[in-house]
Amino acid sequence: MSARSGGVRAAGGTILGGAGEGENPATAVPDAYDFKSIVPDGMDYDEASAAAFGEVAKKAGLSQEQASTVAAYGMQYMQQGVDAAMQAIHETRSAWAEEARTALGGDFEAQVAKAAAGRDALSAKIPGLVDMLNETGAGNRIEMIRLMAAVSELVGEDGAATGAAGGETSIYPNTDFRKYS
């Protein structure tokens, strides 16, 4: 029980809560905690999170050393979770690529080349499309490969859409109506 609640402190303390001769200052609860020195390289120091954890450590009666030990373990545990999640994402993307190779079989190279042409046609109109495909891994999905291959079929050599899927079809295909504007 602490002196603040009216009880007697552990050995070495006084009724008024002062440190006795036998009390180790390293085990004293500080007014404020400093966690900056334990943040691993490459990880940003979050002042708000550190302050929130400092309040929890204070309520738990942890010394600076004890709180730093717990915080360091927490950061290590969190990094392991991030690493595991990134590994799972990488494995999922690899599985999608393998599924596409298997599903397309001997036609894989031709379909990917056709899909790349469709992707290039769309990326001219949609900036960031290629980045999105790479960042999300969607470029490895069989569905996206087939979609982009289908887009390629709808796009002519000049990059313009052909047929009804690309827009209106004129019943006078040889007439240039821009001359009459």
Side-chain angles (χ1 to χ4, degrees):
M1 220 179 215
S2 74
R4 291 183 189 128
S5 63
V8 178
R9 288 183 45 96
T14 66
I15 293 174
L16 295 177
E21 291 179 24
E23 192 167 333
N24 182 353
T27 61
V29 176
D31 290 331
Y33 292 88
D34 179 16
F35 299 113
K36 290 179 184 170
S37 65
I38 62 165
V39 176
D41 289 338
M43 189 179 279
D44 293 332
Y45 182 74
D46 182 355
E47 197 76 43
S49 293
F53 180 68
E55 289 301 313
V56 171
K58 193 175 219 174
K59 286 179 184 175
L62 300 179
S63 68
Q64 175 67 51
E65 183 180 342
Q66 292 167 327
S68 293
T69 300
V70 172
Y73 174 77
M75 285 185 265
Q76 177 187 2
Y77 185 78
M78 180 182 66
Q79 188 60 51
Q80 289 172 346
V82 168
D83 292 346
M86 293 304 295
Q87 181 63 30
I89 289 169
H90 175 72
E91 289 172 3
T92 298
R93 289 177 177 179
S94 294
W96 289 341
E98 191 56 38
E99 178 186 338
R101 281 184 183 86
T102 301
L104 294 172
D107 201 28
F108 177 76
E109 295 295 330
Q111 287 298 309
V112 169
K114 189 186 284 188
R119 176 209 58 213
D120 292 345
L122 285 176
S123 67
K125 302 256 184 210
I126 306 168
L129 176 66
V130 173
D131 291 336
M132 183 275 303
L133 291 171
N134 290 332
E135 289 169 7
T136 63
N140 284 355
R141 296 288 306 238
I142 184 69
E143 299 87 355
M144 186 60 71
I145 294 168
R146 287 179 173 151
L147 171 69
M148 291 299 167
V151 167
S152 176
E153 291 175 3
L154 297 175
V155 177
E157 274 187 36
D158 62 356
T162 59
E168 295 180 26
T169 304
S170 174
I171 59 172
Y172 304 104
N174 297 327
T175 304
D176 184 0
F177 288 101
R178 293 177 295 189
K179 293 180 182 177
Y180 303 107
S181 300

